[in-house]
Amino acid sequence: MKRVTSSVKEALNTTPDKLIIVVKIGTSSLVNEQFGTLNLSNLSRVCEVVRELHAKGHYVIIVSSGAVGVGCQRLGLAQRPTKLAQKQALAAIGQAHLMRYYEDILCALGMTCSQVLLTLDNLAERSQYINARNTFTELLAYGTIPVVNENVSHAQLESMCTWHLCSTVTFSADSITINVCLLDGCAAYAGHCGGSRAALWRQ
């Protein structure tokens, strides 16, 4: 009987030279609050770091916030709404535009991105959890860069926080089992990957 692998890392046969790295980028890094616009320079720098890691043979996953902020920017709203339905609507608007930017920049850098929308419920329910794990395995095996965001149109919590999603996705021992996690900074990158661009993306 063929043994079923229990993690993405095991399925991909990672080694010290071929790690699974999750890059978490928050809304404050993506949206320029002063001008109410998308911070393309920050987004481009993040994608350049991803390209460098990918070129070294590592598997990279981007966990991205920012959909609500980009939605506000697209509609010219000066303040973020407080009602759940409004935030969900703005996230639906912003997510489409945010993914377009990821697609354009990563494609220009010679990479293919993929989109993964999850909720905490997806990872709490066993069958959905396994499906998500298998999807990540295949996306990484194909050489794509998964861009993960919360599927806020189905979110149940009043405080939709992608950090909760990031924590669940990145630190779940049975799911992805990552090697390095970069949280809006490159300290882990410098320590684990010997990168010369450690200060490139630190806020």
Side-chain angles (χ1 to χ4, degrees), residues 16-197:
D17 296 324
K18 200 168 190 178
L19 307 175
I20 295 177
I21 300 173
V22 170
V23 177
K24 167 64 173 66
I25 178 168
T27 301
S28 61
S29 297
L30 285 174
V31 178
N32 188 315
E33 295 292 342
Q34 180 180 357
F35 299 104
T37 59
L38 188 66
N39 196 328
L40 288 175
S41 59
N42 270 1
L43 183 57
S44 297
R45 284 197 293 269
V46 169
C47 290
E48 287 173 352
V49 170
V50 170
R51 177 186 61 178
E52 185 172 329
L53 293 169
H54 193 258
K56 291 177 180 288
H58 302 302
Y59 300 105
V60 185
I61 299 169
I62 298 173
V63 176
S64 178
S65 300
V68 175
V70 174
C72 289
Q73 180 256 319
R74 294 296 298 180
L75 294 183
L77 302 182
Q79 294 183 334
R80 292 167 63 98
T82 57
K83 293 182 178 179
L84 177 61
Q86 291 174 325
K87 290 190 289 186
Q88 289 174 321
L90 287 169
I93 295 168
Q95 186 62 34
H97 293 285
L98 189 57
M99 280 306 302
R100 185 185 69 184
Y101 287 115
Y102 275 117
E103 166 66 19
D104 288 346
I105 297 173
L106 289 172
C107 181
L109 294 172
M111 293 175 288
T112 300
C113 73
S114 52
Q115 183 180 26
V116 179
L117 295 175
L118 294 173
T119 65
L120 291 174
D121 289 340
N122 294 144
L123 302 176
E125 206 282 320
R126 182 63 180 171
S127 63
Q128 295 183 49
Y129 176 84
I130 292 173
N131 287 337
R133 183 191 67 194
N134 293 341
T135 298
F136 276 113
T137 300
E138 296 302 325
L139 289 173
L140 293 174
Y142 276 127
T144 73
I145 307 297
V147 178
V148 183
N149 203 307
E150 188 170 11
N151 190 354
V152 293
S153 63
H154 298 296
Q156 298 298 317
L157 299 177
E158 284 294 329
S159 57
M160 300 181 303
C161 181
T162 306
W163 166 250
H164 294 156
L165 176 63
C166 177
S167 299
T168 305
V169 171
T170 57
F171 296 109
S172 173
D174 291 330
S175 181
I176 297 176
T177 319
I178 64 167
N179 300 107
V180 182
C181 185
L182 311 186
L183 303 175
D184 282 353
C186 283
Y189 175 51
H192 290 79
C193 303
S196 60
R197 313 183 75 168

Side-chain angles (χ1 to χ4, degrees), residues 1-6 10:
M1 182 177 178
K2 185 178 179 180
R3 180 173 176 269
V4 179
T5 57
S6 61
E10 182 180 355

